[in-house]
Amino acid sequence: MLRGLFGTLKAFCEKPVTLQYPEEKSERHPRFRGRHELKRYENGLEKCIGCELCAAACPADAIFVEASENTDEKRYSPGERYASTYEINLLRCIYCGFCQEACPTEAIVLEHEYELAYPDRASAIFTKEKLLVQVPEGGKPTPQKTEPGVYTRSVPQMKD
């Protein structure tokens, strides 16, 4: 009985582990995977080229991508295609990071934001507008008008 009383008194003297959550936030590990973001290039073009590799790599089938063709009048990405529809159902997502690893242009990144609460199920489906980061300083918003053939010449072709 004295041993139990001693353990209780010892616990009173130790520093508490509990944080006052909304006011104090714990540190996240550098490799923590949280909310998804679609990145942009410095000029404002979207990095996502609509290849759908992220959707194919997702084991939870939480990603839906629909690609469309870029034109010189409306250019969203430097390639021939862009993601006209990009949706992630965060209720299905298991935050494994396979989408980030599968992306050839490093367009989808799981950042460190972890405060994800939804009032209803529909708001847990993040569309392209919610996922895209802000246009960088000095960049232009998409769609951009470009000169004919500017980006198609600069995109590396696949070798046979």
Side-chain angles (χ1 to χ4, degrees), residues 11 14-19:
E14 293 176 358
K15 184 179 176 183
V17 180
T18 308
L19 295 175

Side-chain angles (χ1 to χ4, degrees), residues 1-129:
M1 189 160 128
L2 288 174
R3 200 178 324 167
L5 182 61
F6 177 72
T8 303
L9 292 174
K10 183 179 166 187
F12 276 121
C13 299
E14 293 176 358
K15 184 179 176 183
V17 180
T18 308
L19 295 175
Q20 298 299 320
Y21 169 62
E23 293 82 26
E24 299 176 36
K25 296 187 179 171
S26 62
E27 294 256 340
R28 294 285 152 219
H29 194 274
R31 292 180 11 186
F32 175 78
R33 295 185 292 252
R35 184 185 180 276
H36 301 71
E37 285 186 353
L38 282 174
K39 299 294 184 181
R40 294 179 182 263
Y41 290 106
E42 295 81 28
N43 61 0
L45 288 175
E46 301 165 8
K47 286 189 174 186
C48 182
I49 56 173
C51 66
E52 301 178 23
L53 287 175
C54 55
C58 183
D61 198 26
I63 302 174
F64 173 73
V65 181
E66 190 173 66
S68 295
E69 297 291 322
N70 271 318
T71 62
D72 292 326
E73 291 78 32
K74 286 188 172 184
R75 179 156 302 276
Y76 290 87
S77 69
E80 294 177 4
R81 301 181 334 166
Y82 72 98
S84 57
T85 305
Y86 198 104
E87 294 178 352
I88 298 179
N89 186 344
L90 294 181
L91 294 176
R92 296 187 84 174
C93 180
I94 58 173
Y95 300 92
C96 62
F98 288 170
C99 56
Q100 181 176 337
E101 292 174 18
C103 185
T105 60
E106 299 177 356
I108 185 83
V109 177
L110 279 75
E111 290 293 341
H112 295 287
E113 184 181 343
Y114 60 90
E115 294 175 330
L116 302 170
Y118 318 106
D120 57 0
R121 295 178 65 84
S123 60
I125 299 174
F126 276 41
T127 60
K128 182 177 171 181
E129 290 75 29

